[in-house]
Amino acid sequence: MRGQTHAEWTKLRTGTGAGPLLLAVVALTAAVSAAAAAAATCPAAGCSHDVPRLGLIGVQAGQAVVAALAVLAMGGEYGTGMIRTTLTAMPRRGAVLAAKAIVLTGVTLVAGTVAVLASVLAARLILPGNGFTPESGHPPLSLADGPTLRAAAGSVLYLVLIALFSLGVAAAVRDTVTAAGVVLGVLYLSPILVRLVQDPDAQRFLYRISPMDAGLTVQATTGLADLPLGPWAGLGVLAAWTAAALLAGGLLLRLRDA
Amino acid sequence: MSTGTDTAAPYRSPLRAGRDGFARLLRAEWTKFRTVRGWVLAMGAAALVTVLLGVLLATGMRTVCSNGPVEIRCPALPTGPGGEAVDDKFYFVYRQLTGDGSITARVTSMAGQIRLPDAVPGVRNVVPGVVPWAKAGVMVKESGEQGSPYAAVMVTGEHGVRMQHDFTHDTAGRPGKVSERSPRWLRLTRTGETLTGYESADGVTWAAVGTVRLAGLPDTVRIGMFAASPGHLTVTQGGISGSSSAMRFAEVTAVFDRVGLEGTAPAGAWSRQDVGVTLGPDGLPHHPGGLVESGGTFTVTGVGDIAPRLGDAVVETPLTGVAIGLIAVIVVAVTFMTAEYRRGLIRTTLLASPRRGRVPAAKAVVIGAAAFAAGLVAAGVTVPLGTRLLREGGTPVLPVSALTELRVIVGCAAMFAATAVFALALGALFRRGVAAVAAAVVMIILPHILATASVLPVDAAQWLLRVTPAAAFAILQSVPEYPQVIHHYAPAAGFYPLAPWAGLAVLCGYAVLALGLAVFLLRRRDA
């Protein structure tokens, strides 16, 4: 297993694309979070914003780049035919997917942590200037605060799960562009669907099973009682999607001719 | 043989020279698109997904109304003279006026009550107060029918004296609130079809507020005093869909005196009508208005509004699935470009068409046209079918003119086309499909989702929909904002910060810019 992981790490490290994409994850996440913080204002009368969630909103943009990175790690091999060399060298196909998952988890953890920390820092610096002051009930964003720490750590885990979900889909779909379209479609479909339906029960049900809405519940720090499911349970729903995608991808990788 | 001075004619191929006209190139690119089955299918899927999501939404939406204790099919929305759906609910104290005439009245006070969100769950939290657009004044109205033409001059809660007519028109008069110490005199004169509103602080010096013409006003009309108060709007952040708004009960009570009526009107008591009042579950009028008359002083209480109606389903409601259809369009358009690089076909393409700048242009025309067709089918089916299904399910849909509906449909097709061209150009810029798809989705779809279904505050959401290509979603908005109506004017409620065509122009600008850059780079870079 060490050999496989090392091989996958070498591929990711030396191939073009991974470096710029990891940088893009950090830059896009932090930039969108900072822009949202700069555009948000809190009147003196107070406001009902979920501040940690607002400060971490860039994760919704960064996840698209994370998905692209993960899709390329698997699907890119099919584009170039490299997959045949890979499977010749490492005939245990499940191990190949596992090795890719390990490497992806590592790099996404690092990039995600940097991105989330940068977002929190940007929000902490920008928001007090826009009326989010202790007087209006919003102390500066701090990781010493339990729910904020949970939101930040949960966001990093969210990005890792998105990477693994995309890896599973790419292993199943094989074409990189199609896989990227499928992943982004599945992710961004759920907020639209939740708005589409009027029936509150159906709405809560869709929220509960959707990877993005449920997964991002881990960022919520206010009005938790009104949400259809708890923060960690929400991340668990995304984890279930990820497990299903990896399982399907792994099975298809074993069964199909490469 | 010939003499030595002859020179040999240079060799000319007997084959006819190939034409490299743009039409040829278009045909070549069209053949490439047409013959890849996956692309044609995916483009069809883009349209299909939009239609299916629209039908799913429209069939899932059921609305019932109640009249007293019985549930009934929701009545059709009253429509104003301009064809738009209107709210026409107010308390009217009137007389029949035949021919020309005028009414004069002094308003000395405006007070009322507002229901705020319950501080203690289950306990009504009603406080004294007047909402900004509570209105009371004098009015000429064609009939007692909801939606019939009218003109009125009035005092408002916070917007001073106004003259309004036929629901959508609003002219400002003198600002300031009304009180015992600073009363407002109002006068409305009718001459044929022309109505002129005046205001005065003392009843001596009068200033005209506005003159309007109500075409086809009958000889006999209703003339009198009215009061109406729209509900109180509260917006709460959070919850499943980002933010939600609620309209709560508010009523206004205005005191009129020095009432003078000129013209041919029957003597006797004033008639009264609680226009548009509905019955509550107990069978009694729900939030009725009223009149107390004593010695020339009229105290009129009214609930409701006289204004264009907002907040119901609209013709673009079934098009909510467009964002997902666009993802399929993006995937096809990007692949249409990047497949050339992946398969090395680009070298053949450029060999056949050495004037490189034409290649992305031809591709853009082909993919743009294909996406336009897909979008036209998607919207052309979804809008009429979806609105019909909504109305069959009892959900009222705000009516718009045929021209506006056509603009929504054609605009949707144009948005598909511009998205395809933008994605194609990104494909040419990045030359890597995944990066281009991610970039296109992040720039077109994500801002729309962040702005309409996330915790993003309204001001940030509006900023996003002004500067990103997602501004194009404005082309789907069929009902405009009205400054004289308080409403939750947020992207989440379907109101975009840019005008429809301006929003589409933003996306087209991005597409043209990206395509220009793609042409430039294709000419500079080695393929």
Side-chain angles (χ1 to χ4, degrees), chain A residues 16-17 21 28 32 35-36 39-41 48-50 53-54 57 60-65 67-69 71-72 78-79 132 175-178 180-182 184-186 188-200 203-204 207 212-213 226-228, chain B residues 53-54 56-57 60-62 235-241 317-324 327 330-332 334-335 338 342-343 432-435 437-439 441-442 445-446 448-450 452-461 463 491-494 496:
Chain A
T16 56
L21 280 174
L28 190 65
V32 171
T41 52
S48 54
H49 294 308
D50 187 342
R53 192 163 193 182
L54 182 63
I57 205 161
Q60 297 194 35
Q63 65 177 352
V65 189
L69 177 78
V71 160
L72 275 177
Y78 285 98
F132 291 87
D175 178 65
T176 50
V177 182
T178 314
V182 169
L184 297 177
V186 167
Y188 294 134
L189 175 68
S190 63
I192 293 175
L193 270 185
V194 167
R195 281 182 63 228
L196 267 175
V197 297
Q198 293 286 303
D199 180 41
Q203 211 173 34
R204 293 175 77 83
Y207 186 101
M212 180 167 149
D213 276 326
D226 293 337
L227 291 172
Chain B
L53 283 172
L56 186 78
L57 159 82
M61 234 165 154
R62 300 262 158 218
V235 178
T236 35
Q237 292 282 336
I240 290 183
S241 47
T317 303
L319 283 177
T320 317
V322 157
I324 297 304
I327 291 185
I330 287 170
V331 169
V332 176
V334 164
T335 323
T338 55
R342 239 177 70 193
R343 308 260 177 246
R432 301 188 63 149
V434 179
V437 167
V441 170
V442 163
I445 313 294
L446 178 70
H448 181 246
I449 288 171
L450 284 181
T452 57
S454 82
V455 294
L456 211 59
V458 173
D459 33 9
W463 179 81
Y496 292 87

Side-chain angles (χ1 to χ4, degrees), chain B residues 210-237:
Chain B
T211 300
V212 300
R213 196 168 158 270
L214 300 183
L217 195 67
D219 201 36
T220 300
V221 294
R222 293 180 170 197
I223 189 165
M225 294 155 282
F226 76 97
S229 171
H232 178 255
L233 179 81
T234 36
V235 178
T236 35
Q237 292 282 336

Side-chain angles (χ1 to χ4, degrees), chain B residues 336-524:
Chain B
F336 189 46
M337 190 72 223
T338 55
E340 296 249 353
Y341 287 99
R342 239 177 70 193
R343 308 260 177 246
L345 183 64
I346 188 74
R347 288 186 281 277
T348 314
T349 305
L350 294 182
L351 203 61
S353 170
R355 291 156 76 180
R356 292 185 165 196
R358 290 173 154 207
V359 173
K363 279 188 174 296
V365 170
V366 167
I367 200 73
F372 188 90
L376 199 62
V377 170
V381 172
T382 310
V383 170
L385 183 66
T387 44
R388 213 182 123 187
L389 289 171
L390 281 173
R391 286 185 175 127
E392 275 174 7
T395 308
V397 180
L398 297 181
V400 292
S401 68
L403 212 61
T404 306
E405 193 166 326
L406 190 69
R407 185 255 292 163
V408 170
I409 292 172
V410 175
C412 181
M415 182 162 73
F416 269 58
T419 299
V421 172
F422 184 52
L424 178 98
L426 288 179
L429 288 178
F430 287 104
R431 297 200 279 194
R432 301 188 63 149
V434 179
V437 167
V441 170
V442 163
M443 291 177 79
I444 302 176
I445 313 294
L446 178 70
H448 181 246
I449 288 171
L450 284 181
T452 57
S454 82
V455 294
L456 211 59
V458 173
D459 33 9
Q462 288 181 331
W463 179 81
L464 264 185
L465 291 178
R466 245 183 235 119
V467 302
T468 65
F473 280 92
I475 196 73
L476 304 180
Q477 182 186 331
S478 67
V479 175
E481 292 183 19
Y482 293 98
Q484 75 272 30
V485 182
I486 287 198
H487 188 73
H488 184 38
Y489 292 119
F495 291 93
Y496 292 87
L498 289 181
W501 292 107
L504 186 65
V506 172
L507 173 60
C508 292
Y510 273 96
V512 168
L513 211 68
L515 195 64
L517 201 60
V519 168
F520 175 73
L521 282 180
L522 188 69
R523 293 170 72 152
R524 285 284 301 271

